[in-house]
Amino acid sequence: MQPHHDGSARYVPEQAPELGDTVPVLVRVPAGSDVRRVHVRTTPDGEPRFAEAVVDRRDGDDVWWRADVEVRNPVSNYRFLLTGRHGTRWLNAAGPVDHDVPDVGDFKLVTYAPPPAWARDAVIYQIFPDRFARSAAADARPTPDWAVPCDWDTPVRGYGPDTPRQLYGGDLDGITGRLDHLDRLGVNTVYLTPVFPARSNHRYDAASFDRVDPLLGGDAALVRLADAAHARGWRLIGDITSNHTGDAHEWFTRAVADPHAPERGLYYFDRPGGDYESWNGVRSLPKLNWADPELRRRFATDPDSLLRRWLRPPYGLDGWRVDVANMTGRRGADAYTHEVAALLRAVAVDTRADALVMAEHGHDHTGDLDRDGWHGTMNYVGFTDPVWSWLRAGDQPVPNFLGVPGGVTRRDGRAVLATMNAYRSLVSWRSYTHSWQLLGSHDSARIRTVVGDAARQEVAAGLLATMPGTPMVFAGDEWGLTGDNGEGSRTPMPWDRPAARDERTFETYRALLALRRAEPALRHGGLRWLHVDADTLVFVREAVDGAVLVLARRAPGSLVRLTGLPPADNRYGGAPDLRPDADGTVTLPADGPTFQAWRM
C-alpha cells in the first residue's frame, strides 16, 4: 500500500475553508513505506513554500502525519514531499511520483461557495420526457407540423431525418404518475431534459424560455410534477441551453426580421451578409453571444429572468443542468465561459440558496471547474469512457459519445485507473465528488449495448454506486434497455411490455442504490486503491464512521491477496465474509464477471 491523502473528512476538515484560514491536512503512511520525514509544499500567491509535518498519531501499523496549509488564495494548492532512506517522492492528487510534476495536479482547497449540502447524497434519475410515460391527456393533443406521430411501441430511429421528429407523446403528468417506480428504484433527484417549446422531440432547440411546452402539459403540469417530487422529499433539476436557442425562438425570429432589433445582439450575425453562427454548423441552433449585456440581463440578471423564474414557486426547480457548458461563451477570440459560469451560478444561488448548477462537458472539463462557477460536471471522460473501455463487449465496434474515430477502445484495468486518476487529479476533491458519474445518457449508447450482458452491466452499476461522485441513472438502464447511439437510446419505457424489462437488472440497481444509502462511506468517504490488474479493480471507501471494500472483476482471474485489512462482512454480491488468516492476509474471490462489497 502507498502513502495516501485525499479531500475526504479523514484527511481534511469537512467545513469549507475561508480565505485566511489555516487548515490541518493529514497523510496516511502505511507500514513498510520508506518515509521518515514529510513536508507540505504550498504555493501562496504563486511562490513555493515548505513546512515540516509532524506525526499526529499511530493507528495500528499506519502513521498519520499532520501539516498546516494557509488558505491564501481562492484555490490554494498543496502537495507533500516524502523523504526516506532511498530519496524523495512527491505525493499529489494523482498519487506518489518519483519525479517532478507540474502544480496543476496538486491537491486543492477551494474557498468559493460550496455546492448545496443536499447534493452530497443525491442519486440522479435522468428523464427524456417524450419517451418516459404518457398521461391520458396526451391523446387529445394535436400533433405539431414538424412531428412524426408514433405510438408507444414504434421502434426508435437512431439515424436519419425523422430521428428528431418522432413524437411519442410522453408528458410531465405521465412522469408524475410513475414516481412510484423511481421510489422503488431508490433515487431521490429527477433531472428532466428540456421542457420548453421547440420543433424537435429533444427540445434543445427552444422556441421560448417563457413557458412549458403544451405538448408536455404546460406550466401547470410542471407545477404538479414539482409538487409531487418535493412531497417525497426529492429534488427536481431542469435543463437549460446557454449556448444556443432554436431558430424558431422568439428572440431569433425578431433578430432575423429586423437587423436593428435589440435581439440582434443576442446572437452572432455576420454584419455584412446576415449569416449567423450556430452550434457545430447546425443551422437550427443559432449561437448566443455572451458579450451582449442584454443577453446577460434576459437570461440571468433581470429580476424575472428565465434562469430565476423557474427556480421560484410555483415551479421551484432545485437547479439547472447546463447544456453545452463547454462551448458557452466560447467563439474564436471570445472567451466568456468562466464569466458566464460564475454569473449563472451566482444568479441561481441568489434566487434560491440551495440551487445546484451542473455543467455538461463531453470531453476534458478540468479547466472549467474550481472557478466560482459550475458546481460540477457530467463526468463522461473521467468515468463513463474508462468504464466503457474496460467492460465493452467483444470486438464489435461501439459508437463513442465523444466521436473518437473507431469508437470505444478496449483497455485493461491499469489504463482505466490511469484515465480516472488523470482527470480526478486536476480538479478539487469537492468538484470531483459533486460531479455526476454516469454510465450513459440520452446522448450516448446504452450501457447494456456497450457491455453486452447483465453480468457486466452489474459490474458497471456497482462502480456507479460505490465510487465517489453523484450517480446518475438514465431512465431505462435499470431495465437493461439498449441503444447504440444517443438518439437510438431514447427508448420509450416498456411499461406495458413486461418481456422487454429485465427485472433482474432492476433488482441489481435497486440493491446497489440501497447499499449506497446504507453506507456513509460510499457517499462521503475517501478513495484508496488497493489492487489493479487487467481484469480486476479493488478499492476501499473510507469515512470517519466506517469503510467499504469493493471488488470489481470483468472476467475470472487470479486470487487477490491483501494484507493489513480488518475483518469484513459481505454486503453485496454473495461472496464469503473476509477474515484475515494467521499471516494477516485476506483472499478475494477469483470468479468473474463479479461485483462484491464488504463492510469493514
Side-chain angles (χ1 to χ4, degrees):
M1 297 183 189
Q2 297 275 13
H4 182 74
H5 174 85
D6 60 43
S8 66
R10 296 197 78 191
Y11 301 90
V12 182
E14 279 195 283
Q15 184 175 0
E18 297 182 359
L19 286 173
D21 284 352
T22 297
V23 176
V25 296
L26 295 168
V27 179
R28 179 183 190 168
V29 178
S33 297
D34 181 25
V35 176
R36 295 188 169 187
R37 297 177 67 193
V38 175
H39 289 81
V40 66
R41 195 207 74 166
T42 58
T43 52
D45 299 335
E47 182 72 12
R49 293 181 186 171
F50 288 84
E52 188 161 7
V54 298
V55 173
D56 182 79
R57 66 183 187 273
R58 297 181 185 273
D59 185 3
D61 292 330
D62 294 341
V63 180
W64 290 76
W65 297 75
R66 186 186 74 252
D68 290 335
V69 174
E70 177 192 5
V71 183
R72 173 76 177 178
N73 306 109
V75 179
S76 295
N77 287 3
Y78 64 99
R79 65 169 71 173
F80 300 96
L81 182 68
L82 311 177
T83 303
R85 288 176 299 172
H86 302 293
T88 61
R89 291 180 293 166
W90 294 112
L91 174 63
N92 70 358
V97 292
D98 59 3
H99 58 277
D100 289 341
V101 289
D103 295 357
V104 68
D106 285 358
F107 301 105
K108 297 171 176 62
L109 294 174
V110 181
T111 65
Y112 298 126
W118 62 263
R120 296 183 67 197
D121 295 324
V123 178
I124 313 293
Y125 190 78
Q126 183 194 15
I127 293 178
F128 190 84
D130 184 56
R131 309 292 163 82
F132 189 73
R134 286 172 62 104
S135 71
D139 295 337
R141 295 181 186 126
T143 301
D145 59 2
W146 57 263
V148 175
C150 301
D151 65 47
W152 206 247
D153 295 328
T154 300
V156 171
R157 299 172 187 169
Y159 304 89
D162 285 345
T163 297
R165 301 174 60 223
Q166 283 186 294
L167 189 69
Y168 287 77
D171 59 10
L172 300 184
D173 285 325
I175 297 170
T176 303
R178 294 289 184 175
L179 292 183
D180 284 350
H181 172 80
L182 281 65
D183 192 49
R184 285 203 310 125
L185 182 61
V187 302
N188 59 21
T189 303
V190 179
Y191 153 45
L192 301 173
T193 59
V195 298
F196 302 117
R199 293 185 60 80
S200 71
N201 51 39
H202 55 71
R203 297 184 170 87
Y204 285 101
D205 56 334
S208 173
F209 294 124
D210 293 338
R211 60 191 182 279
V212 173
D213 194 336
L215 293 172
L216 295 176
D219 294 3
L222 181 60
V223 173
R224 290 189 289 271
L225 174 56
D227 287 347
H230 292 148
R232 295 172 183 259
W234 297 355
R235 302 286 178 159
L236 183 64
I237 305 293
D239 198 328
I240 193 71
T241 52
S242 57
N243 179 71
H244 55 263
T245 68
D247 61 356
H249 197 284
E250 52 212 11
W251 296 349
F252 188 72
T253 57
R254 292 173 195 150
V256 170
D258 180 4
H260 303 290
E263 289 81 7
R264 190 82 168 184
L266 307 182
Y267 299 90
Y268 285 100
F269 279 91
D270 177 57
R271 297 302 188 268
D275 198 4
Y276 58 90
E277 185 85 7
S278 60
W279 175 78
N280 282 348
V282 178
R283 304 291 291 164
S284 60
L285 301 175
K287 184 175 177 70
L288 291 167
N289 176 13
W290 281 95
D292 189 75
E294 179 64 9
L295 175 62
R296 298 187 183 209
R297 185 189 71 80
R298 294 188 186 195
F299 204 100
T301 60
D302 188 83
D304 194 35
S305 70
L306 68 95
L307 199 71
R308 295 184 191 272
R309 183 181 315 135
W310 303 101
L311 297 176
R312 294 183 177 132
Y315 315 104
L317 293 181
D318 296 281
W320 293 105
R321 177 264 195 186
V322 181
D323 184 58
V324 198
N326 56 300
M327 294 183 75
T328 295
R330 287 186 168 113
R331 188 232 185 204
D334 285 359
Y336 303 109
T337 300
H338 300 146
E339 281 184 41
V340 175
L343 174 67
L344 299 190
R345 185 205 55 78
V347 167
V349 171
D350 177 68
T351 306
R352 59 173 302 159
D354 63 348
L356 180 71
V357 183
M358 188 63 47
E360 181 203 22
H361 289 82
H363 71 306
D364 183 6
H365 53 262
T366 56
D368 286 351
L369 300 186
D370 298 317
R371 292 177 174 269
D372 203 20
W374 317 127
H375 287 135
T377 190
M378 298 178 77
N379 191 13
Y380 285 103
V381 291
F383 184 81
T384 315
D385 272 17
V387 171
W388 279 20
S389 68
W390 188 53
L391 293 174
R392 61 155 292 185
D395 298 320
Q396 189 67 23
V398 177
N400 190 324
F401 168 67
L402 302 180
V404 176
V408 180
T409 300
R410 186 174 173 84
R411 294 191 170 98
D412 69 12
R414 297 178 188 88
V416 167
L417 176 57
T419 302
M420 290 181 172
N421 279 346
Y423 289 102
R424 177 187 53 77
S425 66
L426 298 182
V427 299
S428 68
W429 181 258
R430 187 174 84 182
S431 287
Y432 171 58
T433 57
H434 285 87
S435 290
W436 292 358
Q437 317 293 15
L438 60 158
L439 298 174
S441 72
H442 71 295
D443 278 329
S444 76
R446 290 271 188 183
I447 184 62
R448 176 60 69 85
T449 298
V450 174
V451 303
D453 58 42
R456 287 193 170 215
Q457 186 173 352
E458 180 178 16
V459 176
L463 294 172
L464 180 72
T466 60
M467 287 196 68
T470 303
M472 190 201 91
V473 177
F474 179 36
D477 280 354
E478 72 273 23
W479 275 336
L481 301 189
T482 59
D484 67 358
N485 71 344
E487 288 77 7
S489 73
R490 300 168 187 176
T491 317
M493 292 288 280
W495 303 111
D496 299 321
R497 291 185 288 117
R501 307 196 301 252
D502 183 347
E503 296 293 351
R504 177 177 175 273
T505 294
F506 179 89
E507 292 303 326
T508 292
Y509 274 68
R510 185 181 185 185
L512 286 166
L513 295 179
L515 175 69
R516 184 179 181 88
R517 287 196 307 276
E519 300 292 344
L522 296 181
R523 291 176 280 117
H524 307 152
L527 173 67
R528 196 159 55 100
W529 291 92
L530 303 184
H531 175 86
V532 178
D533 62 41
D535 298 319
T536 312
L537 304 175
V538 181
F539 58 88
V540 62
R541 301 291 311 282
E542 295 167 310
V544 174
D545 50 359
V548 175
L549 175 69
V550 172
L551 164 70
R553 281 191 185 274
R554 70 178 181 182
S558 302
L559 293 171
V560 174
R561 293 181 172 87
L562 302 172
T563 58
L565 297 181
D569 297 331
N570 189 265
R571 298 288 290 152
Y572 183 89
D577 296 340
L578 299 177
R579 298 293 182 263
D581 62 18
D583 296 326
T585 300
V586 297
T587 302
L588 306 187
D591 58 310
T594 190
F595 185 85
Q596 305 286 335
W598 295 266
R599 176 191 288 160
M600 296 167 58

